[in-house]
Each structure stands twice: as C-alpha cells, then as structure tokens.
Amino acid sequence: MSVDPALLSILRCPDEHHAELTLDAEAQTLTCTSCGRIFEIRDGIPVLLLDEARLPEGGAPVTGDSAPVAGGESPLTEGGAA
C-alpha cells in the first residue's frame, strides 16, 4: 500500500526542525533529510512518532539540534512534567 503523493508533499519530521521527508517505497519508510530518523509506513499510514522512529546508522540523530539530553532524559520529561 502506498501513501498519497499529496500527503507526502506536506509531511514533515515531527522534531523541532520540521525537515522534509524522503520516501523509500520499497522499504515503506520515510527518512528525515535533517536528522536521519526513519519512520515506518504501516498500512499506508506514516507513523510520525519520535518514540517509534529508528535512528540512522550509528544510533544518533544526524544534527545536534535533536541529540539526546545528557543522562538519557528526554527534554520533554526533564523536571518531571511534560
């Protein structure tokens, strides 16, 4: 199953940089052109959740803007509140 081309033209990475995504139709994934995160497409629906994205080879996002916080805590949960 494929994603509608009109939808693909407006989708962006959910991280703060909101970069464009490239489609790998064979693998059924979208890859961020900035951080390199790989998002699966399930049943024709892109799963644009940072928690479910795979990191590029090497295990870390490509840019420093979205690098994990020291100690492994998410910036959203730091301080105990989301």
Side-chain angles (χ1 to χ4, degrees), residues 13-53:
C13 180
D15 202 353
E16 62 187 29
H17 53 259
H18 305 295
E20 291 185 11
L21 301 168
T22 58
L23 172 67
D24 181 337
E26 186 175 317
Q28 287 292 287
T29 60
L30 295 169
T31 302
C32 177
T33 58
S34 180
C35 67
R37 283 186 176 95
I38 302 165
F39 301 93
E40 289 187 28
I41 299 171
R42 297 182 192 146
D43 298 322
I45 301 170
V47 180
L48 298 179
L49 300 172
L50 292 174
D51 290 346
E52 292 197 27

